[in-house]
Amino acid sequence: MNRITDDILFKVEKPARYIGGELNSCNKDKNKVDIRYAFCFPDVYEVGMSHLGMKILYHVLNKREDTFCERVFTPWPDMEKLMRENQIPLYALESKDSIKEFNFLGFTLQYEMSYTNILNMLQMSDIKVRASLRSEEDPIVMFGGPCAYNPEPLYDIADLFVLGEGEEIINELMDLYKETKKLGKTAFLRKAASIQGIYVPSLYEVSYKEDGTIKEFYPKYDDVPSKVKKRIVTNFSEVEFPDKLVVPYTEIVHDRVILETFRGCTRGCRFCQAGMVYRPVREKGTKKLLKQADELIKSTGYNEVSLSSLSICDYSDIQNLINMMVEKHGNNKVGISLPSLRIDSFSVDLIKEIQKVRKTGLTFAPEAGSQRMRDVINKGVTEENLIDSARSAFEAGWSTIKLYFMLGLPYETIEDVLGIADLGEKVVNEYYNIPKGVRKKGLRVTVSTAIFVPKPFTPFQWAAMDSKENVKEKIYAVRNAIKSRAINYNWHESIVSYMEAIFARGDRRMCDVLVTAFEKGAKFDGWGEHFSYDIWKDAIEECKVDTDFYVYRDRGYDEILPWDFIEIGVSKDFLIKENEKAKEAILTPDCRDGCKNCGINYAEGKCFEGALLNKI
């Protein structure tokens, strides 16, 4: 096997992406382990190295004496070209061995537009992209992550999918592999299908009606479950979490300690897939988080800690947690950062405590411009919440604020959309209502709109995506309605969202489109400079697939959806009721105000109380 050389590294942008050997990276004798596992991230090093899930599973697997887990990222086109010219297969950073030599290739599915990169990574290692064409000797290709909740467009790429949280199930899979290694891949996959949270697509059949909808989805064998139930880590405070993080030589997207405070969300926003699939809520105790922060700061040398969750200010002990972290680490100039904040839970005292060390940016997510639309999506916040939060931020010394919205939501009107511009203008006006001696100079309000894609396992999974023409009209309406020079408006291209939708909502027929598009040159589709709709259009036409069928069509409650065989715990009846309430703009209160009987049945149906009992 040809290997990477300095001559090649000198010719590429950011060679540190490809060399490995970073602080805290793991190195084992590959001849003294039973299992070699390559954790593959289908994007560049800087993106993949920022992903918390990879850090956790890298730690979990390498804690096993019998397993060596290494990291693999997608080479940037300049590096890929040189690797192909010099016949260097895609390799893992730790050993520099080709990933074809590994027992497992584990890909995380974070974004639909990274799928072609998966195929490219396989091809660069001389591994056939279709699972049905691979041999018994080829590595077992497995997928997990949020996009795995509709696995069907990748059904003939993966050998198996992990549905749900991976810390425990990954160990069960490795144990089973050791037991069945002599029996071969096919036997392993058959036995793996009986593990809760494992989906082996080759063990299932699908038939279709004349109208293109699914007629039937069923297992081929009696011992294969008809439903696949997601995995939930119940004892979250005691679940494995790294005490060391790999520290890159080059800058990455999130170059800091990431601390996971809790999983799940009680808010029930109807557009949010994560808020449904990550239920129930489970928190780590403050003492545990402080201990983990202390270990990671010492082992990495980072001077910033990011508190991670779906809704960070909903952590039940957030004020105390931040006060204690600042008290312990503030003198060493270790700062704390929070992800985007809900406008109804913004705390000036909290933010002032954080800015004692370092002032971080503020991002608020009203999601919709009008109150009617915020009620439709069950956001549970008001315009008054936003204005109060903006005023508090301006008075506390901020002059730069980002506001995040969505366009193309179900049941949205042009009046709702114009409310986005109106809300931005009101935030600007609130700044000028504050006395000059109090506010800081240099006001900048960034208004960003993303195009809404209805996702599986949300109340909006039956809704059609808004048309490209409507979305363009709405973008122009917002742009033209913004008058203040202090507002910068950013929006996303609708065609990329369309492509995202066909994979988020598609079925097995999309797998042929994916493979064909890759063969025609599609890759790095999540990067604007590399995305080519013409390639995808040609592939769609060649495969004779009506992609509008997946995107621009309302679906009936009685239709079998491609992902209906997966049980996430939240019942379909609950999602239907929420969609019907959305049509009437009726709110469903936060779960913390009382159980809404979504179906999770965790701690006697009281998810939030169960989460608090789970703390130490």
Side-chain angles (χ1 to χ4, degrees):
M1 181 185 90
N2 292 342
R3 290 185 174 258
I4 202 74
T5 63
D6 288 348
D7 287 346
I8 291 173
L9 291 172
F10 281 134
K11 296 175 183 176
V12 300
E13 179 187 355
K14 299 183 181 178
R17 290 167 166 164
Y18 311 109
I19 59 176
E22 309 98 319
L23 176 68
N24 297 331
S25 59
C26 182
N27 206 356
K28 295 185 178 183
D29 185 340
K30 63 188 181 185
N31 298 311
K32 293 182 179 179
V33 296
D34 299 308
I35 304 169
R36 298 193 68 187
Y37 191 104
F39 191 105
C40 305
F41 198 96
D43 211 322
V44 289
Y45 178 92
E46 300 95 291
V47 176
M49 280 296 292
S50 302
H51 180 239
L52 180 59
M54 187 197 73
K55 300 173 195 288
I56 293 172
L57 292 180
Y58 185 78
H59 165 77
V60 170
L61 286 165
N62 281 321
K63 195 172 180 181
R64 298 174 61 107
E65 290 186 4
D66 61 2
T67 305
F68 184 14
C69 177
E70 304 183 46
R71 296 162 297 137
V72 188
F73 304 96
T74 308
W76 194 244
D78 61 345
M79 181 63 163
E80 180 190 338
K81 181 174 181 290
L82 290 168
M83 288 174 70
R84 289 185 183 276
E85 287 174 354
N86 290 276
Q87 298 182 319
I88 299 170
L90 184 63
Y91 59 88
L93 288 184
E94 280 74 4
S95 66
K96 308 300 187 294
D97 288 344
S98 167
I99 62 173
K100 191 170 185 177
E101 298 177 23
F102 285 65
N103 305 109
F104 286 89
L105 307 181
F107 289 86
T108 181
L109 307 177
Q110 296 295 312
Y111 180 39
E112 291 85 355
M113 300 312 293
S114 69
Y115 289 179
T116 49
N117 279 1
I118 296 172
L119 275 57
N120 195 38
M121 293 170 80
L122 292 172
Q123 191 199 65
M124 286 187 70
S125 310
D126 194 29
I127 298 170
K128 287 185 166 51
V129 298
R130 287 189 179 272
S132 56
L133 299 178
R134 292 184 212 128
S135 71
E136 286 281 306
E137 287 69 43
D138 281 321
I140 294 163
V141 178
M142 55 186 286
F143 295 159
C147 294
Y149 283 103
N150 180 16
E152 292 303 88
L154 293 166
Y155 88 101
D156 196 26
I157 312 299
D159 291 305
L160 66 86
F161 289 85
V162 173
L163 301 173
E165 295 162 345
E167 292 96 332
E168 296 170 350
I169 197 171
I170 196 74
N171 281 322
E172 291 175 26
L173 273 173
M174 297 305 105
D175 291 343
L176 177 65
Y177 180 75
K178 281 182 69 176
E179 292 171 17
T180 60
K181 196 171 184 180
K182 292 179 181 177
L183 301 177
K185 185 198 295 188
T186 301
F188 165 76
L189 292 173
R190 184 73 172 267
K191 288 182 177 293
S194 63
I195 297 175
Q196 182 185 330
I198 297 298
Y199 169 51
V200 180
S202 61
L203 302 180
Y204 295 79
E205 290 280 5
V206 184
S207 61
Y208 300 92
K209 299 177 183 177
E210 288 186 8
D211 65 0
T213 59
I214 294 173
K215 179 181 179 182
E216 197 177 4
F217 180 96
Y218 55 93
K220 294 179 181 179
Y221 310 101
D222 291 341
D223 62 334
V224 176
S226 58
K227 295 276 189 179
V228 180
K229 189 176 182 181
K230 79 168 185 187
R231 284 297 285 263
I232 300 171
V233 171
T234 53
N235 191 358
F236 184 57
S237 262
E238 291 305 309
V239 73
E240 286 286 352
F241 196 79
D243 54 0
K244 296 177 181 178
L245 300 175
V246 178
V247 182
Y249 291 125
T250 186
E251 189 176 344
I252 61 175
V253 176
H254 300 301
D255 212 2
R256 59 186 77 101
V257 168
I258 302 175
L259 207 59
E260 190 178 24
T261 56
F262 69 96
R263 285 182 190 168
C265 183
T266 60
R267 296 286 186 164
C269 296
R270 293 174 182 134
F271 60 86
C272 182
Q273 185 188 52
M276 296 296 169
V277 300
Y278 293 145
R279 291 185 179 204
V281 169
R282 290 140 297 155
E283 293 190 345
K284 285 183 184 174
T286 303
K287 286 183 180 178
K288 171 72 75 172
L289 290 169
L290 290 168
K291 179 175 181 290
Q292 289 179 346
D294 192 41
E295 289 172 344
L296 289 167
I297 290 167
K298 286 177 180 175
S299 66
T300 64
Y302 277 125
N303 63 0
E304 184 177 349
V305 177
S306 176
L307 301 181
S308 171
S309 73
L310 291 177
S311 183
I312 185 59
C313 290
D314 286 343
Y315 180 69
S316 60
D317 198 25
I318 186 67
Q319 189 78 55
N320 186 41
L321 173 63
I322 288 177
N323 288 345
M324 294 179 75
M325 287 187 71
V326 170
E327 182 181 336
K328 186 164 187 180
H329 301 290
N331 290 338
N332 296 323
K333 302 300 180 186
V334 175
I336 301 166
S337 63
L338 305 179
S340 66
L341 303 167
R342 283 183 59 92
I343 58 179
D344 60 334
S345 57
F346 176 73
S347 166
V348 178
D349 292 338
L350 190 69
I351 301 300
K352 281 183 175 177
E353 192 68 25
I354 291 172
Q355 74 168 3
K356 283 181 180 178
V357 179
R358 187 181 304 114
K359 183 170 288 189
T360 56
L362 288 182
T363 301
F364 295 118
E367 310 290 2
S370 71
Q371 191 57 50
R372 186 194 78 86
M373 204 62 223
R374 287 190 289 275
D375 292 345
V376 166
I377 64 176
N378 204 48
K379 186 65 180 175
V381 298
T382 65
E383 180 180 300
E384 185 181 4
N385 293 143
L386 175 61
I387 300 305
D388 287 347
S389 295
R391 183 192 313 115
S392 298
F394 293 144
E395 289 175 344
W398 270 269
S399 61
T400 302
I401 287 180
K402 294 179 181 178
L403 303 177
Y404 176 82
F405 299 89
M406 286 182 289
L407 285 177
L409 287 158
Y411 324 123
E412 179 182 77
T413 67
I414 196 70
E415 287 76 23
D416 297 317
V417 169
L418 290 171
I420 294 172
D422 184 54
L423 213 47
E425 298 283 354
K426 286 179 178 177
V427 168
V428 171
N429 292 338
E430 194 58 36
Y431 170 84
Y432 288 110
N433 287 336
I434 295 169
K436 285 185 177 180
V438 176
R439 69 182 190 231
K440 188 180 175 183
K441 292 181 180 179
L443 174 65
R444 200 72 187 149
V445 176
T446 299
V447 171
S448 296
T449 58
I451 298 163
F452 173 69
V453 176
K455 292 290 178 84
F457 299 109
T458 67
F460 293 155
Q461 67 178 354
W462 293 279
M465 184 174 166
D466 206 359
S467 70
K468 292 190 281 277
E469 294 74 24
N470 282 351
V471 167
K472 277 188 178 179
E473 182 184 338
K474 290 173 180 179
I475 289 171
Y476 292 145
V478 174
R479 190 176 68 179
N480 293 334
I482 292 174
K483 305 302 179 187
S484 173
R485 292 185 177 181
I487 298 176
N488 179 44
Y489 177 43
N490 296 329
W491 65 90
H492 295 287
E493 288 294 330
S494 59
I495 197 64
V496 177
S497 298
Y498 176 83
M499 293 303 307
E500 181 184 337
I502 64 176
F503 284 105
R505 297 159 64 79
D507 54 33
R508 291 190 170 194
R509 291 168 288 195
M510 281 306 304
C511 191
D512 289 342
V513 176
L514 175 64
V515 173
T516 304
F518 167 67
E519 290 171 347
K520 290 178 178 293
K523 59 187 171 186
F524 277 109
D525 296 296
W527 295 74
E529 65 266 43
H530 294 289
F531 173 74
S532 170
Y533 181 62
D534 287 341
I535 290 176
W536 283 101
K537 189 177 178 183
D538 289 347
I540 290 165
E541 290 174 356
E542 186 174 314
C543 295
K544 296 181 172 59
V545 174
D546 178 11
T547 49
D548 287 358
F549 175 80
Y550 302 122
V551 181
Y552 297 135
R553 180 176 63 87
D554 285 311
R555 306 186 187 198
Y557 293 140
D558 58 346
E559 180 179 333
I560 298 175
L561 304 175
W563 50 87
D564 269 350
F565 67 93
I566 300 170
E567 290 186 358
I568 64 162
V570 176
S571 71
K572 183 179 268 193
D573 284 344
F574 176 78
L575 297 178
I576 290 171
K577 287 175 185 175
E578 286 298 296
N579 189 37
E580 290 301 312
K581 289 169 83 171
K583 294 174 183 177
E584 305 295 326
I586 298 172
L587 285 169
T588 297
D590 193 308
C591 298
R592 289 175 296 179
D593 299 328
C595 181
K596 303 303 178 290
N597 297 312
C598 71
I600 282 290
N601 296 324
Y602 178 73
E604 299 179 351
K606 299 176 182 177
C607 304
F608 189 66
E609 291 178 27
L612 298 184
L613 290 171
N614 196 18
K615 288 174 63 173
I616 59 169

